[in-house]
């Protein structure tokens, strides 16, 4: 039976790590881990991800995202300007996320230690509202972040 994502946001079972915050917070894209990539310094992976949607098509929006005071604010800026993001976004978003995550792990020892600490366990982004990057409300999402 799939664990209810509303019970706890992070926990471990016999063979799986479910993360969203707390002990596995370093794996969260909103965690306070800076990432230097593409000639920029991002406050979080979330900032970098949304920045990349506009860096080529609308640099003024990308600059707003770069300066956003929180990952939530970066996401809100993106949501109000979606029509201006790069046209190939759906085709490149997984590769961009992979670049960001690799840089985060390489540049932050605690993130690397957290990831290594999961050993051979399955990793699941236990997000009840994201069924692409996470497991979604019903636990049947694609879990691209966990993979």
């Amino acid at each position: 039976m799939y664990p209810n994502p509303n019970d706890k946001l992070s926990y471990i079972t016999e063979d799986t790590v479910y993360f969203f915050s707390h002990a596995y917070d370093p794996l969260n894209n909103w965690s306070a881990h800076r990432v230097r990539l593409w000639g920029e310094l991002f406050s979080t992976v979330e900032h970098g991800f949304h920045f990349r949607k506009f860096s080529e098509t609308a640099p003024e929006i990308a600059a707003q995202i770069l300066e956003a005071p929180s990952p939530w604010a970066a996401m809100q800026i993106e949501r109000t300007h979606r029509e201006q993001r790069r046209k190939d976004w759906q085709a490149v978003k997984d590769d961009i996320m992979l670049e960001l995550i690799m840089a985060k792990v390489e540049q932050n020892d605690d993130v690397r230690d957290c990831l290594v600490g999961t050993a051979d366990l399955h990793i699941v982004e236990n997000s009840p509202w994201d069924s692409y990057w996470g497991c979604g409300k019903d636990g049947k999402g694609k879990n691209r972040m966990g993979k």
Side-chain angles (χ1 to χ4, degrees):
M1 179 175 164
Y2 183 78
N4 180 346
N6 296 319
D7 290 344
K8 290 185 193 175
L9 293 177
S10 297
Y11 52 92
I12 188 168
T13 65
E14 188 174 299
D15 64 348
T16 304
V17 170
Y18 291 90
F19 80 95
F20 194 69
S21 61
H22 309 294
Y24 298 98
D25 192 59
L27 303 180
N28 187 338
N29 288 340
W30 288 34
S31 70
H33 291 89
R34 290 183 172 187
V35 178
R36 185 173 297 282
L37 191 61
W38 309 307
E40 303 289 350
L41 180 62
F42 302 105
S43 299
T44 67
V45 166
E46 192 76 10
H47 282 79
F49 188 68
H50 295 305
F51 172 90
R52 210 52 184 155
K53 293 176 182 179
F54 301 99
S55 59
E56 297 170 12
T57 58
E60 66 285 354
I61 297 169
Q64 289 176 31
I65 290 169
L66 186 63
E67 298 300 321
S70 69
W72 174 259
M75 184 177 70
Q76 294 307 308
I77 294 167
E78 185 276 338
R79 285 182 173 176
T80 61
H81 299 286
R82 283 192 174 160
E83 71 284 349
Q84 294 178 51
R85 73 179 180 196
R86 56 191 293 175
K87 300 297 182 216
D88 65 346
W89 184 247
Q90 295 304 316
V92 301
K93 69 181 179 181
D94 284 22
D95 290 338
I96 288 170
M97 183 62 80
L98 180 60
E99 280 185 81
L100 282 158
I101 297 303
M102 300 257 318
K104 179 180 176 180
V105 170
E106 290 169 0
Q107 296 170 24
N108 294 278
D109 293 341
D110 63 323
V111 176
R112 185 174 42 256
D113 292 345
C114 184
L115 186 59
V116 169
T118 65
D120 294 329
L121 300 172
H122 300 286
I123 300 173
V124 176
E125 183 182 44
N126 198 24
S127 170
W129 56 81
D130 189 334
S131 60
Y132 183 79
W133 295 109
C135 66
K137 187 174 185 174
D138 64 1
K140 297 178 181 177
K142 292 184 179 187
N143 187 38
R144 297 295 297 155
M145 277 303 301
K147 292 175 181 172

